Structures are given as C-alpha cells and as structure tokens.
Short mmCIF file of all heavy atoms in Angstrom, two decimals:
data_model
loop_
_atom_site.label_atom_id
_atom_site.label_comp_id
_atom_site.label_asym_id
_atom_site.label_seq_id
_atom_site.Cartn_x
_atom_site.Cartn_y
_atom_site.Cartn_z
N LEU A 196 -40.46 -136.24 49.09
CA LEU A 196 -40.99 -135.67 47.85
C LEU A 196 -42.28 -134.90 48.06
O LEU A 196 -42.66 -134.05 47.25
CB LEU A 196 -41.21 -136.77 46.81
CG LEU A 196 -39.98 -137.49 46.29
CD1 LEU A 196 -40.36 -138.63 45.36
CD2 LEU A 196 -39.05 -136.51 45.55
N PHE A 197 -42.97 -135.17 49.16
CA PHE A 197 -44.23 -134.50 49.44
C PHE A 197 -44.00 -133.13 50.10
O PHE A 197 -44.97 -132.40 50.31
CB PHE A 197 -45.12 -135.34 50.32
CG PHE A 197 -45.56 -136.64 49.69
CD1 PHE A 197 -45.21 -137.85 50.24
CD2 PHE A 197 -46.28 -136.65 48.51
CE1 PHE A 197 -45.60 -139.06 49.66
CE2 PHE A 197 -46.68 -137.83 47.91
CZ PHE A 197 -46.34 -139.04 48.48
N ALA A 198 -42.73 -132.83 50.42
CA ALA A 198 -42.36 -131.52 50.99
C ALA A 198 -43.26 -131.14 52.17
O ALA A 198 -43.79 -130.03 52.25
CB ALA A 198 -42.43 -130.43 49.89
N LEU A 199 -43.41 -132.07 53.10
CA LEU A 199 -44.21 -131.77 54.30
C LEU A 199 -43.42 -130.91 55.28
O LEU A 199 -42.18 -130.88 55.26
CB LEU A 199 -44.54 -133.11 55.01
CG LEU A 199 -45.29 -134.17 54.21
CD1 LEU A 199 -45.37 -135.46 55.01
CD2 LEU A 199 -46.67 -133.69 53.84
N PRO A 200 -44.11 -130.15 56.12
CA PRO A 200 -43.39 -129.45 57.21
C PRO A 200 -42.58 -130.49 58.01
O PRO A 200 -43.00 -131.64 58.19
CB PRO A 200 -44.52 -128.86 58.06
CG PRO A 200 -45.65 -128.72 57.07
CD PRO A 200 -45.55 -129.87 56.12
N LYS A 201 -41.42 -130.08 58.49
CA LYS A 201 -40.47 -131.07 59.07
C LYS A 201 -41.07 -131.85 60.24
O LYS A 201 -40.83 -133.07 60.34
CB LYS A 201 -39.18 -130.36 59.49
CG LYS A 201 -39.37 -129.18 60.41
CD LYS A 201 -38.05 -128.41 60.61
CE LYS A 201 -38.24 -127.23 61.52
NZ LYS A 201 -37.00 -126.45 61.69
N ALA A 202 -41.85 -131.21 61.09
CA ALA A 202 -42.45 -131.92 62.21
C ALA A 202 -43.48 -132.92 61.73
O ALA A 202 -43.55 -134.05 62.22
CB ALA A 202 -43.09 -130.94 63.19
N VAL A 203 -44.26 -132.55 60.76
CA VAL A 203 -45.27 -133.45 60.19
C VAL A 203 -44.57 -134.61 59.48
O VAL A 203 -45.00 -135.77 59.56
CB VAL A 203 -46.18 -132.70 59.21
CG1 VAL A 203 -47.19 -133.65 58.54
CG2 VAL A 203 -46.93 -131.60 59.94
N HIS A 204 -43.48 -134.31 58.76
CA HIS A 204 -42.70 -135.34 58.07
C HIS A 204 -42.22 -136.42 59.07
O HIS A 204 -42.42 -137.61 58.84
CB HIS A 204 -41.48 -134.68 57.41
CG HIS A 204 -40.52 -135.65 56.75
ND1 HIS A 204 -40.59 -135.98 55.41
CD2 HIS A 204 -39.47 -136.34 57.26
CE1 HIS A 204 -39.62 -136.82 55.14
NE2 HIS A 204 -38.93 -137.06 56.25
N LEU A 205 -41.62 -135.98 60.17
CA LEU A 205 -41.07 -136.93 61.14
C LEU A 205 -42.15 -137.65 61.92
O LEU A 205 -42.04 -138.84 62.20
CB LEU A 205 -40.12 -136.19 62.10
CG LEU A 205 -38.85 -135.65 61.44
CD1 LEU A 205 -38.06 -134.79 62.41
CD2 LEU A 205 -37.97 -136.78 60.91
N ALA A 206 -43.22 -136.94 62.30
CA ALA A 206 -44.32 -137.59 63.01
C ALA A 206 -45.02 -138.61 62.13
O ALA A 206 -45.38 -139.70 62.61
CB ALA A 206 -45.32 -136.55 63.50
N THR A 207 -45.17 -138.30 60.86
CA THR A 207 -45.82 -139.25 59.92
C THR A 207 -44.96 -140.48 59.74
O THR A 207 -45.47 -141.60 59.72
CB THR A 207 -46.08 -138.55 58.57
OG1 THR A 207 -46.95 -137.43 58.77
CG2 THR A 207 -46.74 -139.49 57.60
N ILE A 208 -43.65 -140.27 59.58
CA ILE A 208 -42.73 -141.41 59.47
C ILE A 208 -42.80 -142.28 60.72
O ILE A 208 -42.81 -143.52 60.65
CB ILE A 208 -41.28 -140.92 59.24
CG1 ILE A 208 -41.11 -140.49 57.78
CG2 ILE A 208 -40.26 -141.98 59.59
CD1 ILE A 208 -39.71 -140.02 57.46
N GLY A 209 -42.85 -141.63 61.90
CA GLY A 209 -42.94 -142.38 63.14
C GLY A 209 -44.22 -143.22 63.23
O GLY A 209 -44.19 -144.38 63.64
N ALA A 210 -45.36 -142.64 62.83
CA ALA A 210 -46.64 -143.35 62.87
C ALA A 210 -46.64 -144.55 61.92
O ALA A 210 -47.08 -145.63 62.26
CB ALA A 210 -47.78 -142.40 62.52
N ILE A 211 -46.12 -144.35 60.69
CA ILE A 211 -46.03 -145.44 59.76
C ILE A 211 -45.07 -146.51 60.26
O ILE A 211 -45.34 -147.72 60.18
CB ILE A 211 -45.57 -144.93 58.36
CG1 ILE A 211 -46.60 -143.99 57.76
CG2 ILE A 211 -45.32 -146.10 57.42
CD1 ILE A 211 -46.16 -143.28 56.50
N GLY A 212 -43.96 -146.07 60.84
CA GLY A 212 -43.00 -147.01 61.39
C GLY A 212 -43.57 -147.85 62.53
O GLY A 212 -43.27 -149.03 62.65
N LEU A 213 -44.43 -147.23 63.36
CA LEU A 213 -45.06 -148.00 64.43
C LEU A 213 -45.91 -149.14 63.88
O LEU A 213 -45.91 -150.25 64.42
CB LEU A 213 -45.95 -147.07 65.27
CG LEU A 213 -45.27 -146.24 66.36
CD1 LEU A 213 -46.26 -145.30 67.00
CD2 LEU A 213 -44.60 -147.14 67.40
N MET A 214 -46.61 -148.88 62.78
CA MET A 214 -47.42 -149.93 62.13
C MET A 214 -46.53 -151.08 61.64
O MET A 214 -46.78 -152.24 61.92
CB MET A 214 -48.24 -149.34 60.99
CG MET A 214 -49.24 -148.29 61.38
SD MET A 214 -49.92 -147.41 59.96
CE MET A 214 -50.59 -148.76 59.00
N VAL A 215 -45.49 -150.69 60.92
CA VAL A 215 -44.60 -151.68 60.31
C VAL A 215 -43.84 -152.48 61.36
O VAL A 215 -43.76 -153.70 61.33
CB VAL A 215 -43.63 -151.02 59.32
CG1 VAL A 215 -42.63 -152.03 58.78
CG2 VAL A 215 -44.39 -150.37 58.17
N ASP A 216 -43.28 -151.75 62.36
CA ASP A 216 -42.45 -152.41 63.37
C ASP A 216 -43.29 -153.30 64.29
O ASP A 216 -42.81 -154.34 64.76
CB ASP A 216 -41.69 -151.39 64.19
CG ASP A 216 -40.56 -150.75 63.41
OD1 ASP A 216 -40.08 -151.40 62.46
OD2 ASP A 216 -40.15 -149.63 63.73
N SER A 217 -44.53 -152.89 64.58
CA SER A 217 -45.40 -153.74 65.40
C SER A 217 -45.65 -155.08 64.69
O SER A 217 -45.60 -156.14 65.31
CB SER A 217 -46.74 -153.01 65.65
OG SER A 217 -46.57 -151.86 66.43
N THR A 218 -45.88 -155.00 63.38
CA THR A 218 -46.09 -156.21 62.60
C THR A 218 -44.83 -157.07 62.61
O THR A 218 -44.90 -158.30 62.77
CB THR A 218 -46.49 -155.86 61.15
OG1 THR A 218 -47.66 -155.05 61.17
CG2 THR A 218 -46.74 -157.12 60.34
N ARG A 219 -43.68 -156.43 62.45
CA ARG A 219 -42.44 -157.18 62.41
C ARG A 219 -42.17 -157.88 63.74
O ARG A 219 -41.78 -159.05 63.79
CB ARG A 219 -41.24 -156.25 62.12
CG ARG A 219 -41.15 -155.79 60.68
CD ARG A 219 -39.72 -155.31 60.37
NE ARG A 219 -39.30 -154.21 61.23
CZ ARG A 219 -38.05 -154.02 61.61
NH1 ARG A 219 -37.12 -154.88 61.26
NH2 ARG A 219 -37.74 -152.98 62.37
N ILE A 220 -42.33 -157.16 64.85
CA ILE A 220 -42.03 -157.73 66.16
C ILE A 220 -42.93 -158.89 66.46
O ILE A 220 -42.50 -159.94 66.97
CB ILE A 220 -42.16 -156.64 67.24
CG1 ILE A 220 -41.03 -155.61 67.09
CG2 ILE A 220 -42.13 -157.24 68.64
CD1 ILE A 220 -41.17 -154.39 67.98
N ILE A 221 -44.23 -158.75 66.13
CA ILE A 221 -45.17 -159.86 66.37
C ILE A 221 -44.78 -161.06 65.51
O ILE A 221 -44.83 -162.24 65.96
CB ILE A 221 -46.60 -159.40 66.03
CG1 ILE A 221 -47.07 -158.38 67.06
CG2 ILE A 221 -47.56 -160.60 66.02
CD1 ILE A 221 -48.40 -157.74 66.73
N THR A 222 -44.36 -160.82 64.29
CA THR A 222 -43.95 -161.90 63.38
C THR A 222 -42.73 -162.60 63.92
O THR A 222 -42.66 -163.86 63.93
CB THR A 222 -43.65 -161.36 61.98
OG1 THR A 222 -44.83 -160.68 61.46
CG2 THR A 222 -43.26 -162.48 61.02
N TYR A 223 -41.72 -161.86 64.38
CA TYR A 223 -40.52 -162.48 64.94
C TYR A 223 -40.89 -163.31 66.18
O TYR A 223 -40.41 -164.44 66.37
CB TYR A 223 -39.50 -161.41 65.34
CG TYR A 223 -38.98 -160.57 64.21
CD1 TYR A 223 -38.64 -159.22 64.40
CD2 TYR A 223 -38.83 -161.09 62.92
CE1 TYR A 223 -38.18 -158.44 63.37
CE2 TYR A 223 -38.38 -160.31 61.88
CZ TYR A 223 -38.04 -158.98 62.11
OH TYR A 223 -37.60 -158.20 61.10
N TRP A 224 -41.75 -162.72 67.04
CA TRP A 224 -42.10 -163.40 68.29
C TRP A 224 -42.85 -164.71 68.00
O TRP A 224 -42.52 -165.75 68.56
CB TRP A 224 -42.97 -162.46 69.12
CG TRP A 224 -43.39 -163.04 70.45
CD1 TRP A 224 -44.48 -163.74 70.73
CD2 TRP A 224 -42.66 -162.93 71.68
NE1 TRP A 224 -44.52 -164.09 72.06
CE2 TRP A 224 -43.42 -163.62 72.66
CE3 TRP A 224 -41.47 -162.30 72.05
CZ2 TRP A 224 -42.98 -163.69 73.98
CZ3 TRP A 224 -41.05 -162.39 73.37
CH2 TRP A 224 -41.81 -163.08 74.32
N ARG A 225 -43.84 -164.64 67.11
CA ARG A 225 -44.60 -165.84 66.78
C ARG A 225 -43.75 -166.86 66.02
O ARG A 225 -44.05 -168.04 66.03
CB ARG A 225 -45.82 -165.46 65.95
CG ARG A 225 -46.86 -164.63 66.70
CD ARG A 225 -48.09 -164.37 65.90
NE ARG A 225 -48.77 -165.60 65.56
CZ ARG A 225 -49.87 -165.69 64.82
NH1 ARG A 225 -50.40 -164.57 64.29
NH2 ARG A 225 -50.42 -166.84 64.58
N GLY A 226 -42.70 -166.37 65.36
CA GLY A 226 -41.81 -167.26 64.63
C GLY A 226 -40.81 -167.97 65.52
O GLY A 226 -39.97 -168.76 65.02
N GLY A 227 -40.85 -167.68 66.82
CA GLY A 227 -39.98 -168.38 67.74
C GLY A 227 -38.64 -167.74 68.01
O GLY A 227 -37.76 -168.35 68.62
N VAL A 228 -38.44 -166.47 67.57
CA VAL A 228 -37.17 -165.79 67.81
C VAL A 228 -37.12 -165.42 69.28
O VAL A 228 -38.07 -164.83 69.83
CB VAL A 228 -37.03 -164.54 66.93
CG1 VAL A 228 -35.69 -163.88 67.21
CG2 VAL A 228 -37.16 -164.91 65.46
N VAL A 229 -36.02 -165.75 69.93
CA VAL A 229 -35.84 -165.44 71.36
C VAL A 229 -34.56 -164.63 71.56
O VAL A 229 -33.64 -164.65 70.73
CB VAL A 229 -35.80 -166.73 72.22
CG1 VAL A 229 -37.12 -167.49 72.13
CG2 VAL A 229 -34.65 -167.63 71.77
N LEU A 230 -34.52 -163.91 72.65
CA LEU A 230 -33.35 -163.13 73.01
C LEU A 230 -32.79 -163.63 74.33
O LEU A 230 -33.54 -164.07 75.22
CB LEU A 230 -33.71 -161.63 73.16
CG LEU A 230 -34.15 -160.89 71.91
CD1 LEU A 230 -34.56 -159.46 72.31
CD2 LEU A 230 -33.07 -160.87 70.88
N PRO A 231 -31.48 -163.56 74.51
CA PRO A 231 -30.88 -163.90 75.81
C PRO A 231 -31.43 -162.96 76.90
O PRO A 231 -31.76 -161.81 76.61
CB PRO A 231 -29.39 -163.67 75.59
CG PRO A 231 -29.18 -163.73 74.11
CD PRO A 231 -30.45 -163.22 73.51
N GLU A 232 -31.47 -163.45 78.10
CA GLU A 232 -32.00 -162.65 79.21
C GLU A 232 -31.23 -161.36 79.39
O GLU A 232 -31.81 -160.33 79.75
CB GLU A 232 -31.95 -163.49 80.51
CG GLU A 232 -32.58 -162.78 81.71
CD GLU A 232 -32.58 -163.65 82.95
OE1 GLU A 232 -32.26 -164.86 82.83
OE2 GLU A 232 -32.87 -163.11 84.04
#
C-alpha cells in the first residue's frame, strides 16, 4: 500500500523479516525445540 520502489519494497521486507525471524528462532531454541542431525 505504500507503493515503494520494488527493490526498496523487497529489501525492507527482508530487513523486517530478519528481526522477526531472529526472535522466532531464539524463542524456539530456548524453548527446547531440537532438530535431527
């Protein structure tokens, strides 16, 4: 809706996603979620 230039749109989404996903991954890790080797 902000009609950003396409590169700025995607880069901004990526930067916001890094913030959110970093928080999620840390939360899963601290919550004891494990993955098979």
Side-chain angles (χ1 to χ4, degrees):
L196 294 176
F197 296 119
L199 302 172
K201 54 189 179 182
V203 176
H204 175 95
L205 293 173
T207 300
I208 282 181
I211 295 172
L213 279 175
M214 296 169 58
V215 175
D216 287 336
S217 296
T218 302
R219 285 201 302 148
I220 291 172
I221 293 172
T222 302
Y223 299 146
W224 181 270
R225 294 184 63 182
V228 181
V229 296
L230 294 176
E232 184 177 351

